[in-house]
């Protein structure tokens, strides 16, 4: 199935609104007319009455501008298929000063933007293309109600070549575990998202992403995704993978100050600090240890060691940065205090990824869930992150929401 030769309405709208220079004309930057749309206003209106709501309401007419406080998490995947040209363009329009490409690689060792090496079965149409579906690590298996087994598949970028990858269409991430056929399985978009812009999302190589973001004059945050194949991969080591990401920026003359390389593997971060020190200055140590109580304590005690070893920026999920005090006020957590004591900057993730907050907000609000009961509460948490924790930036699935706050507060 080849890509339909259509020009998306977003592409056309952006092109008509500002004379962007697309990839192929590097380093020629045009000012972006930032537009936030109705969502931030909806969230502000949903806030509890108080000084913060009044302040945010006072900023309703802008001006709005791009800010490095806003990181586009996979672009703008609340409504656009993640890591696509369309998602990145939307993030740029919504004022994200820094936009993310999670970097993995294809069978022929070409760098591409995907959140996971093995997510093609839920984020693309690969299962509908027989000649590619049969190459999947695990082709589609329908659910078996009699045995109680869910539908499953595993399709990885390492299963296919770059040319085959580029023939795919991106869709909203989701699947249906009770599916008995591929069409059913490919559904599953959460109700707080939409398929409106999911007709055929344009998959991106890492180099294409660099060209696109550079054309906007914005900054980059590539994440070295942990490979799901044994490394070395056909003689290609983890260090060579980490280096190849940096080489893509150096080869087109991108200044290191515009790049925030990130990884959950601390050895990747240490590699950049040692071998690419200019890029290593802004290398981000992603932290998922905080997901368990034991890991949270370990991470908190290890922050000083990270700083001693040259790490400048840490990035846990934002639930780890806040807690409730005895008066049920949201305040900085022990992790936040320890990071600041160690002299570390903090970038956190991921705003607008929790869906409806009527019932506590789930994963990202787990330490403050007792006081979370409406969507407007997300700005209450963000205010603590910005003013009391002092985060440097926040990843968001809908950058407009963070940009609105950042512009209003002069960040």
């Amino acid at each position: 199935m080849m890509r339909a030769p259509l020009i998306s309405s977003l592409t056309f709208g952006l092109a008509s609104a500002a004379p962007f220079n697309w990839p192929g004309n590097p380093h020629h930057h045009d000012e972006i007319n930032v537009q936030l749309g109705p969502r931030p206003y909806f969230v502000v209106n949903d806030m509890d009455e108080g000084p913060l709501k009044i302040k945010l309401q006072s900023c309703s007419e802008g001006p709005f501008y791009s800010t490095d406080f806003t990181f586009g998490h996979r672009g703008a995947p609340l409504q656009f298929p993640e890591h696509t040209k369309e998602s990145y363009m939307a993030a740029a329009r919504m004022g994200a000063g820094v936009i993310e490409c999670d970097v993995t690689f294809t069978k022929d060792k070409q760098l591409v933007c995907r959140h996971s090496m093995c997510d093609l079965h839920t984020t693309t149409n690969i299962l509908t293309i027989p000649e590619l579906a049969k190459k999947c690590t695990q082709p589609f298996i329908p659910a078996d109600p009699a045995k109680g087994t869910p539908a499953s598949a595993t399709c990885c970028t390492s299963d296919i070549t770059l040319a085959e990858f580029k023939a795919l269409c991106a869709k909203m991430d989701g699947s249906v575990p009770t599916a008995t056929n591929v069409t059913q399985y490919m559904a599953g978009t959460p109700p707080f998202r939409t398929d409106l812009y999911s007709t055929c999302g344009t998959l991106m190589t890492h180099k294409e992403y660099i060209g696109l973001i550079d054309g906007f004059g914005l900054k980059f945050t590539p994440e070295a995704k942990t490979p799901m194949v044994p490394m070395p991969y056909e003689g290609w080591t983890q260090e060579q993978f980490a280096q190849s990401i940096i080489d893509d920026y150096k080869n087109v003359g991108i200044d290191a100050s515009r790049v925030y390389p990130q990884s959950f593997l601390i050895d990747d971060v240490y590699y950049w600090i040692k071998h690419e020190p200019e890029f290593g200055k802004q290398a981000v140590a992603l932290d998922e240890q905080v997901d368990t109580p034991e890991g949270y304590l370990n991470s908190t005690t290890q922050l000083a060691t990270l700083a001693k070893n040259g790490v400048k920026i840490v990035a846990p999920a934002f639930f780890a940065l806040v807690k409730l005090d005895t008066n049920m006020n949201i305040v900085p957590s022990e992790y936040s205090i320890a990071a600041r004591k160690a002299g570390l900057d903090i970038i956190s993730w991921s705003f607008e990824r929790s869906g409806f907050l009527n019932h506590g907000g789930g994963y990202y609000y787990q330490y403050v869930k007792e006081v979370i009961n409406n969507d407007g509460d997300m700005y209450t948490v963000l205010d603590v992150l910005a003013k009391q924790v002092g985060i440097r930036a926040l990843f968001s699935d809908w950058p407009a929401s963070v940009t609105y706050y950042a512009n209003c507060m002069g960040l």
Side-chain angles (χ1 to χ4, degrees):
M1 176 178 176
M2 300 301 292
R3 182 177 311 284
L6 299 176
I7 301 176
S8 74
S9 59
L10 176 66
T11 303
F12 191 80
L14 284 173
S16 61
F20 283 136
N21 290 275
W22 304 113
N25 190 5
H27 316 308
H28 191 118
H29 309 142
D30 291 297
E31 183 177 353
I32 297 172
N33 179 10
V34 172
Q35 300 173 15
L36 303 185
R39 172 117 182 114
Y41 301 92
F42 170 83
V43 177
V44 170
N45 288 337
D46 196 49
M47 293 177 68
D48 297 334
E49 299 301 325
L52 179 58
K53 181 174 183 176
I54 292 171
K55 170 60 177 176
L56 291 174
Q57 286 175 325
S58 74
C59 300
S60 64
E61 305 313 306
F64 301 118
Y65 47 87
S66 296
T67 169
D68 289 355
F69 187 82
T70 304
F71 277 36
H73 181 240
R74 315 184 199 179
L78 183 65
Q79 296 192 41
F80 291 86
E82 62 189 44
H83 290 308
T84 60
K85 180 178 180 180
E86 295 79 12
S87 189
Y88 293 148
M89 290 166 63
R93 178 61 81 196
M94 288 187 278
V98 185
I99 298 176
E100 180 186 45
C101 167
D102 290 326
V103 186
T104 186
F105 53 87
T106 58
K107 185 175 183 178
D108 46 351
K109 303 177 187 175
Q110 299 300 303
L111 302 184
V112 296
C113 300
R114 286 287 89 197
H115 176 65
S116 168
M117 173 175 277
C118 296
D119 71 6
L120 297 182
H121 51 290
T122 63
T123 66
T124 76
N125 65 337
I126 190 170
L127 294 176
T128 69
I129 308 174
E131 62 270 25
L132 298 183
K134 67 183 181 183
K135 297 185 178 184
C136 290
T137 296
Q138 182 212 297
F140 175 72
I141 299 174
D144 188 336
K147 296 181 179 179
T149 56
S152 63
T154 303
C155 301
C156 307
T157 57
S158 55
D159 293 332
I160 58 177
T161 66
L162 177 60
E164 291 167 333
F165 175 84
K166 289 294 289 180
L168 300 175
C169 288
K171 71 178 190 70
M172 295 299 283
D173 188 11
S175 61
V176 177
T178 58
T180 57
N181 59 61
V182 165
T183 300
Q184 293 174 350
Y185 184 76
M186 288 177 58
T189 299
F192 60 89
R193 295 185 178 147
T194 180
D195 288 317
L196 184 62
Y197 304 111
S198 189
T199 52
C200 184
T202 308
L203 297 181
M204 300 287 283
T205 68
H206 184 231
K207 291 178 181 178
E208 289 172 336
Y209 150 84
I210 292 173
L212 183 67
I213 305 308
D214 186 42
F216 296 147
L218 301 175
K219 297 181 181 179
F220 315 83
T221 183
E223 180 188 337
K225 298 304 297 186
T226 303
M228 300 182 75
V229 293
M231 299 294 280
Y233 174 73
E234 297 183 357
W236 205 36
T237 66
Q238 182 68 30
E239 293 77 13
Q240 288 174 311
F241 170 48
Q243 183 63 51
S244 68
I245 294 172
I246 302 302
D247 287 344
D248 277 353
Y249 295 92
K250 295 172 67 175
N251 289 340
V252 292
I254 300 294
D255 191 272
S257 64
R258 295 176 63 196
V259 185
Y260 294 82
Q262 30 163 347
S263 181
F264 280 106
L265 297 180
I266 192 61
D267 285 347
D268 288 343
V269 177
Y270 289 153
Y271 175 87
W272 292 322
I273 291 171
K274 180 178 180 179
H275 297 280
E276 292 289 351
E278 290 303 307
F279 289 87
K281 291 177 183 177
Q282 293 188 151
V284 180
L286 297 166
D287 188 354
E288 61 184 350
Q289 286 192 81
V290 296
D291 280 0
T292 66
E294 298 81 8
Y296 177 91
L297 291 175
N298 288 337
S299 286
T300 301
T301 58
Q302 292 169 4
L303 290 170
T305 300
L306 292 180
K308 183 179 179 180
N309 291 340
V311 175
K312 304 294 184 185
I313 307 171
V314 292
F318 69 76
F319 78 81
L321 300 175
V322 292
K323 68 176 186 177
L324 295 175
D325 66 12
T326 56
N327 295 316
M328 302 299 283
N329 295 313
I330 301 173
V331 296
S333 69
E334 293 83 2
Y335 185 106
S336 298
I337 295 168
R340 284 302 178 202
K341 184 177 180 180
L344 293 163
D345 280 347
I346 302 170
I347 295 173
S348 197
W349 44 275
S350 295
F351 208 62
E352 289 279 30
R353 194 161 182 81
S354 296
F356 312 116
L357 303 191
N358 306 45
H359 304 291
Y363 175 81
Y364 288 100
Y365 297 86
Q366 58 187 284
Y367 287 176
V368 297
K369 63 183 179 181
E370 290 85 355
V371 299
I372 303 298
N373 54 42
N374 60 67
D375 286 354
D377 287 336
M378 68 175 70
Y379 274 141
T380 304
V381 174
L382 175 51
D383 196 55
V384 174
L385 292 171
K387 294 179 180 177
Q388 296 185 48
V389 176
I391 62 172
R392 177 170 176 166
L394 183 61
F395 282 92
S396 180
D397 280 25
W398 198 244
S401 299
V402 175
T403 299
Y404 185 100
Y405 176 90
N407 287 180
C408 189
M409 301 298 177
L411 299 175

